[in-house]
Amino acid sequence: MKEAVLLLAVVLNVYLLFRSFELMGKLHAYLVIDARSKKNLQLLSVVAPIFGFITTCLTYQKTIKRA
């Protein structure tokens, strides 16, 4: 059960990472945000899932060691 939740959390983080890049591209294309804001948001969208991965790994550390 814990393995399934771990896998779901990792897949969700990766999915949200790519969706955020897609959203920023659309916002930049429609001139809602400028290039500087786009770069800052891209950095944030990479950093947030990394912390999500770290939190997930720390939460399911025993499950990861068993696998």
Side-chain angles (χ1 to χ4, degrees):
M1 177 67 183
K2 286 187 178 184
E3 291 89 358
V5 175
L6 172 65
L7 183 62
L8 180 67
V10 170
V11 169
L12 184 64
N13 273 325
V14 170
Y15 173 76
L16 290 175
L17 174 71
F18 288 113
R19 291 295 293 179
S20 64
F21 281 137
E22 198 176 303
L23 175 64
M24 280 180 287
K26 286 181 182 178
L27 290 174
H28 183 66
Y30 291 125
L31 302 174
V32 176
I33 58 174
D34 59 349
R36 183 175 179 192
S37 297
K38 182 182 176 189
K39 288 179 185 176
N40 289 338
L41 289 173
Q42 282 178 336
L43 179 64
L44 180 63
S45 70
V46 169
V47 171
I50 288 172
F51 283 118
F53 289 136
I54 291 170
T55 304
T56 302
C57 289
L58 290 176
T59 302
Y60 295 101
Q61 193 170 13
K62 290 180 184 175
T63 305
I64 293 170
K65 285 182 182 178
R66 271 192 293 158

